[in-house]
Amino acid sequence: MTPQEKELKKTQKRLKKEAKAKTRVTRKQAKSKKSDHAQSEGTTKRVLREKEIKKNLYNRSNFKATKTKEKIDWKLSFKEFPVKMVKEVSKIKWSGKQNLTNKFVQVIIFMLIFAVVFYLIDWGFQTLFSVMHVI
């Protein structure tokens, strides 16, 4: 954790504590007022203050963390690139000859079966249309 992030967290904690203290004070002030008119005025002021405090507390600028980009050592990464590529290629599981042969045969059989199915469907439509005298 960088010193900037630590400082940001400290300021956020401090702002939260201040906001809680302000809301307590405004609540006590609202309770201590005797007249209804003064009390209603105090509550509207309190509500406005609470909204302002919440707005300041939950403002996105308070939560922004500055990210420092690390410098890339291009010479080192250029030297390490072939090694990384070899490691990635070695992770690939290559199919064996028997496995490839089995899959090839399955595809050929699938194609032959569907060629016969489509031929029979075409032949059926031809006979149907010739019976209906469409063709």
Side-chain angles (χ1 to χ4, degrees):
M1 188 176 279
T2 64
Q4 293 172 346
E5 292 173 343
K6 289 180 182 178
E7 190 66 32
L8 181 66
K9 285 188 178 183
K10 285 180 183 178
T11 55
Q12 288 174 353
K13 278 187 178 181
R14 183 178 48 81
L15 287 172
K16 285 181 183 179
K17 285 181 182 179
E18 288 175 1
K20 284 183 181 180
K22 285 181 182 179
T23 54
R24 285 182 196 145
V25 168
T26 54
R27 285 181 189 163
K28 285 181 183 179
Q29 287 175 353
K31 287 181 182 178
S32 68
K33 296 197 180 195
K34 302 282 181 177
S35 68
D36 293 341
H37 180 66
Q39 209 172 21
S40 65
E41 238 179 64
T43 55
T44 56
K45 286 181 181 178
R46 188 189 79 207
V47 169
L48 290 174
R49 284 181 190 159
E50 285 180 359
K51 285 183 179 179
E52 186 179 335
I53 290 168
K54 284 182 181 180
K55 184 188 265 186
N56 291 336
L57 180 64
Y58 296 109
N59 191 356
R60 292 185 66 92
S61 64
N62 293 337
F63 293 102
K64 286 182 183 174
T66 56
K67 294 181 182 178
T68 56
K69 289 187 177 180
E70 296 179 11
K71 291 185 178 179
I72 299 172
D73 188 6
W74 290 100
K75 288 182 181 179
L76 181 64
S77 60
F78 187 72
K79 289 177 184 176
E80 290 178 348
F81 179 73
V83 175
K84 288 182 181 179
M85 290 304 296
V86 168
K87 286 182 180 178
E88 290 297 322
V89 169
S90 66
K91 289 180 186 177
I92 298 171
K93 184 180 176 185
W94 300 100
S95 295
K97 185 177 180 179
Q98 185 64 35
N99 188 17
L100 289 174
T101 305
N102 288 342
K103 292 191 187 252
F104 178 75
V105 169
Q106 288 174 359
V107 168
I108 296 298
I109 291 171
F110 177 82
M111 289 173 63
L112 289 174
I113 289 171
F114 272 89
V116 169
V117 168
F118 287 128
Y119 176 78
L120 292 174
I121 289 172
D122 182 53
W123 178 70
F125 277 124
Q126 282 181 0
T127 55
L128 177 69
F129 289 145
S130 63
V131 169
M132 292 172 50
H133 300 294
V134 174
I135 310 179

